[in-house]
Amino acid sequence: MRIAVLGGDGFVGWPTSLHLSNLGHEVHIVDDLSRRWIDTELGVQSLTPMASIQERCRIWKQESGNTIHFHLLNLANEYERVKQWLTECRPDAVIHFAEQRAAPYSMKTDRHKVYTVDNNVNATHNLLAALVETGIDAHLVHLGTMGVYGYSSVGAPIPEGYLNVEIDAPKGKKGMEILYPTRPGSAYHMTKSLDQIMFQFYAQNDGLRITDLHQGIVWGTHTDQTRRHEQLINRFDYDGDYGTVLNRFLIQAAIGYPLTVHGTGGQTRAFIHLQDCVRCIELALSDAPKSGERVKIFNQMTETHRVRDLAKMVAEMTGAEVKFLPNPRKEADENDLIVKNDQFLALGLNPITLQEGLLSEVVDVAKKYAHRIDRSRVPAVSAWTKDIAQRINHNPEARSVA
Amino acid sequence: MRIAVLGGDGFVGWPTSLHLSNLGHEVHIVDDLSRRWIDTELGVQSLTPMASIQERCRIWKQESGNTIHFHLLNLANEYERVKQWLTECRPDAVIHFAEQRAAPYSMKTDRHKVYTVDNNVNATHNLLAALVETGIDAHLVHLGTMGVYGYSSVGAPIPEGYLNVEIDAPKGKKGMEILYPTRPGSAYHMTKSLDQIMFQFYAQNDGLRITDLHQGIVWGTHTDQTRRHEQLINRFDYDGDYGTVLNRFLIQAAIGYPLTVHGTGGQTRAFIHLQDCVRCIELALSDAPKSGERVKIFNQMTETHRVRDLAKMVAEMTGAEVKFLPNPRKEADENDLIVKNDQFLALGLNPITLQEGLLSEVVDVAKKYAHRIDRSRVPAVSAWTKDIAQRINHNPEARSVA
């Protein structure tokens, strides 16, 4: 297949591009490189030294013999160029990672909220409008998040996208199938919730074939392909805005920083290893909906854990200290989470669960590049409201006076 | 109260501004005048000769002694100026009409889809982000649409915003209150559905006080204030993109044009007279939610009718011919619609229902300005898909050869 990977220079986009190229697909990365610009804005860098996207593609060609094409294009701002590119590329499938993806970054200031909503909504909608306008019947696979549902302990398993409800009608109960209701907890999660409505409309009105992957929190750093050459190495974020929770614990352990748990650590979240992400995308591509069918929604996760349990596990494995800090987010202290992922299991996913070996691998990567870490960028300091900002701990390493 | 009316130069925005000014409120209109620009783009004009917004405000001052302030400002594109204006104005309430409001215009071409989504989502989100950032605790009243729910004949009354559903949990059924699920049928309706999610988030995260009015199709042209001077006259759209269905029938009758019914005319829609719209907004202002409460959602309509029944009624009243045309929209041929509006009734709304006198008034207005009508702009020709575009009737006045 000819596959376009929008946002293909990112944390999951890059390993996905390599994985699909390795399977023999013709891969076209489209990226505006905004994530690299945000590194510059924040003054942080990936723990791992990333090559440029052009260099990455060059090395991959050298290692595998396969070409990955790169197009510098801003989906959200360059609608006419998006159409032109689609017409030239004519992909069979489009994988859409091209959204600002960090909840803390989206809540950092009002400017970051405005950027995230403008960028993410227009990126998705421009893509949808351009697919309709050009008449290109590509299977659109979108990276969403489990976080659209919020974390409020409904006590029932979250099904894959849809919910059957009953409504009181004059002549008794009537059944109705609805999108499982969302309850986003950040500007970022909100944009993914908006995406869901746009997908529903374009599938219904124009027969677009769309798969929406509601992904859990990604951990790990390597895949089979990123390991093949030092210059194919993946992005690995450790900072308080872009680092994901389990990866951050592993990095903190590696550099002798306290494991920073926010609030009680009672938050239960869904997780998936990076290697499984790229495998899930491969599986989703093999199972496209037909034109006219509803959007196919998968819960792309393999296990759930409570944050404090993860911290405890990493602490026991590494001897690190656990530190409980005020929570910069506005969210429930404690929640349960039960998630169905039957569809990927049925398609043959054999989940990679938390294993000491894989956890140690991440710690080893972190130790190798520890000299690149600015410890002052480790704390999560983007607060959800101005009141919450007052109580953020900006230096969890400081010893208390008492 | 000091009240900002965003989009206060528009079809409902202008009469609302007059109504509130007449009640003694300090009214500030904020508008980018994009609706006037769209008239220019489409080469159509309001049936009624509208004065400029500055002239409207001057005449109102002369007639009533009250000042209405006007600020030229683009909510969607000028975030920093929005904040600055909010800080200077410090409104007690903000009424938000500032979105592109025609479904056919939003589906005209891909450029119109892209404009509508970009403009409407960013206008609403910029306003929300700016309210949070400036800390101005204004009651936000938003004009939404009944159309967010789609028209699929659920057979049950549409409640006011929320639905209690039951979910299968391991230990039996669990109750959950959700936003009544939306199913928008155009890019325009989709943006109002996105707005709803953004309101839910900002009410929850930041305690914004928000009322969302899910309005029916507006008919009529005058209110008590627009009648007071020729130069206070309201906008009145007759074209296929911006004209609303009942007003269009009345105009068509006035100029001897066939009443254009799309499909079977079996579409059931909710209606409200313009005078009731402005009264509902007054009532909503008096009933603001408290900070931390959920978004208050009203169904702002007074009656439902099937489109072909309206055509028949207008035909009987005026002797006009009814013509059934292919439907440019992708929608169900026939649907039922039952809508609850208990909240406005409880607040004292005394609905104006379809009455011969008010219908005749509209016909009289149309006859008075009939010389301003370009008959070629009467048909609705914006098609929902390219397939549908093939069968649009561009000249319903043409006699068939047979």
Side-chain angles (χ1 to χ4, degrees), chain A residues 79-80 83 107 109-111 113-115 117-119 121-122 125-126 129-130 132-135 152-157 163-171 174-187 190 193-195 197-202 204-207 294 330 338 384-386, chain B residues 79-80 83 107 109-111 113-115 117-119 121-122 125-126 129-130 132-135 152-157 163-171 174-187 190 193-195 197-202 204-207 294 330 338 384-386:
Chain A
Y79 178 67
E80 291 301 325
K83 271 201 292 189
M107 298 301 284
T109 70
D110 59 331
R111 181 173 70 74
K113 294 175 193 172
V114 165
Y115 167 74
V117 170
D118 180 42
N119 182 73
V121 171
N122 280 317
H125 184 258
N126 283 349
V132 172
E133 187 60 20
T134 58
S152 61
S153 286
V154 173
L163 182 67
N164 287 307
V165 298
E166 288 194 326
I167 295 189
D168 288 319
K171 295 172 190 161
K174 298 258 295 188
M176 181 161 73
E177 183 192 78
I178 64 172
L179 282 167
Y180 192 85
T182 64
R183 189 100 197 184
S186 76
M190 186 177 80
S193 180
L194 305 185
D195 286 344
I197 307 274
M198 296 195 281
F199 294 141
Q200 183 185 45
F201 172 70
Y202 278 90
Q204 168 188 300
N205 194 72
D206 299 286
R294 67 178 195 185
K330 186 159 178 170
I338 316 165
W384 258 233
T385 69
K386 288 183 179 178
Chain B
Y79 178 69
E80 291 302 324
K83 270 201 293 189
M107 298 300 285
T109 71
D110 60 330
R111 181 175 69 75
K113 294 175 194 173
V114 164
Y115 167 74
V117 169
D118 181 40
N119 181 73
V121 171
N122 279 318
H125 184 257
N126 282 349
V132 171
E133 187 60 21
T134 59
S152 61
S153 286
V154 172
L163 182 67
N164 287 308
V165 299
E166 289 194 327
I167 296 189
D168 288 318
K171 294 171 190 162
K174 296 258 295 186
M176 180 162 73
E177 183 193 77
I178 64 171
L179 282 166
Y180 192 85
T182 65
R183 190 99 196 184
S186 76
M190 185 178 80
S193 177
L194 305 185
D195 286 343
I197 307 275
M198 295 196 280
F199 294 142
Q200 182 185 46
F201 173 70
Y202 277 90
Q204 168 188 301
N205 194 71
D206 298 288
R294 68 179 195 184
K330 186 159 179 171
I338 316 166
W384 258 233
T385 69
K386 289 182 179 178

